[in-house]
Amino acid sequence: MTGWDISPFEADGLRVSALRPPVLPERPRHGEDPADCEECASRDEGIWLNDRWRLSRIPGVGVPLVLMLYPRDHYDMADLPDDLAAELGVLTTHIVRHVQALPHISRAHVYRIGDGAAHLHVWFFARPEGQTQLYGSWLPVWDDLLPEYPADVADADASAVADALIASHGGSRPTDTGRQLDH
C-alpha cells in the first residue's frame, strides 16, 4: 500500500507490526450499556436533528469537514430496525450530495467502523477539490497527519450542509447549535 501514489508514507524504513495473538474475551466497546453511552446522553446535540437521527461536526480535523451521523436512540448497525436502516440509506445519500455540493469539495467518503463504540456512528469525510493525493482509503490517515483545518470554514460548511439537509429531508437545527462533540 505504501507503493500507491496516494500513500502518506515513504516505503523505505516502514515496517509492518507483528500480529499479536488474539485476546479473548474482547474488551467491551464504549457504550455497550446505554446508561453509560455518551452518544445517548448527547442525543439533542449537533448541527441537525430529526426525531430519529442527529448529525454533528467533528472538530479539530485536518480535512475540510468531518461529520458524524448517529441514531438518537441506542442502536448499533446489526440491531437497527429496518425502517431506520432504510432511512440511514436515504440520509447518507442526502448528506453525501450536500457535502459534495460545497464549492471546494470533490468527494464525500462514508465510513462505518464499529470497534470503538456500541452506538452506531457513520463518518463522512470531505475530500478537498484538487487534492488527489488524498484519494480513497488513505483519507482518514491523511486527516490525522494534516494540520487542523480552519474551524470557521468548517463551521460554515457544516451549516450549509445542515441547511441543505433541512431543505431536502426535513429536520431542524437543535436549540443549542454551538455545542459540538469531541471524538
Side-chain angles (χ1 to χ4, degrees):
M1 291 175 63
T2 56
W4 299 354
D5 65 349
I6 60 173
S7 171
F9 304 108
E10 298 288 333
D12 291 340
L14 279 180
R15 294 185 325 215
V16 175
S17 296
L19 187 61
R20 293 183 289 262
V23 176
L24 297 172
E26 292 186 12
R27 64 184 169 100
R29 298 176 298 167
H30 168 74
E32 290 286 358
D33 180 354
D36 298 327
C37 178
E38 290 178 21
E39 294 359 301
C40 288
S42 302
R43 70 183 318 267
D44 297 328
E45 298 175 15
I47 62 169
W48 172 89
L49 299 171
N50 73 10
D51 290 340
R52 298 160 11 131
W53 297 93
R54 69 183 182 94
L55 185 66
S56 292
R57 183 180 79 77
I58 305 302
V61 298
V63 297
L65 187 62
V66 177
L67 302 174
M68 186 87 72
L69 181 66
Y70 308 87
R72 290 181 73 191
D73 293 330
H74 193 81
Y75 294 106
D76 198 357
M77 184 69 83
D79 60 3
L80 199 62
D82 287 348
D83 58 333
L84 280 175
E87 191 173 10
L88 173 61
V90 172
L91 275 170
T92 297
T93 300
H94 282 250
I95 294 166
V96 165
R97 286 178 190 154
H98 303 320
V99 170
Q100 290 182 180
L102 296 168
H104 52 283
I105 302 300
S106 285
R107 300 284 179 269
H109 294 214
V110 181
Y111 301 92
R112 185 279 178 164
I113 304 165
D115 284 331
H119 194 118
L120 175 62
H121 52 289
V122 179
W123 298 81
F124 296 83
F125 281 76
R127 184 180 61 76
E129 185 173 37
Q131 290 290 324
T132 58
Q133 192 175 2
L134 306 184
Y135 271 6
S137 57
W138 282 111
L139 183 63
V141 176
W142 274 109
D143 175 61
D144 285 338
L145 300 172
L146 295 169
E148 186 174 335
Y149 198 80
D152 59 332
V153 178
D155 284 340
D157 287 346
S159 183
V161 170
D163 289 344
L165 190 56
I166 290 166
S168 71
H169 191 75
S172 63
R173 300 275 192 143
T175 56
D176 184 10
T177 57
R179 294 175 64 186
Q180 295 295 326
L181 301 176
D182 292 320
H183 279 274

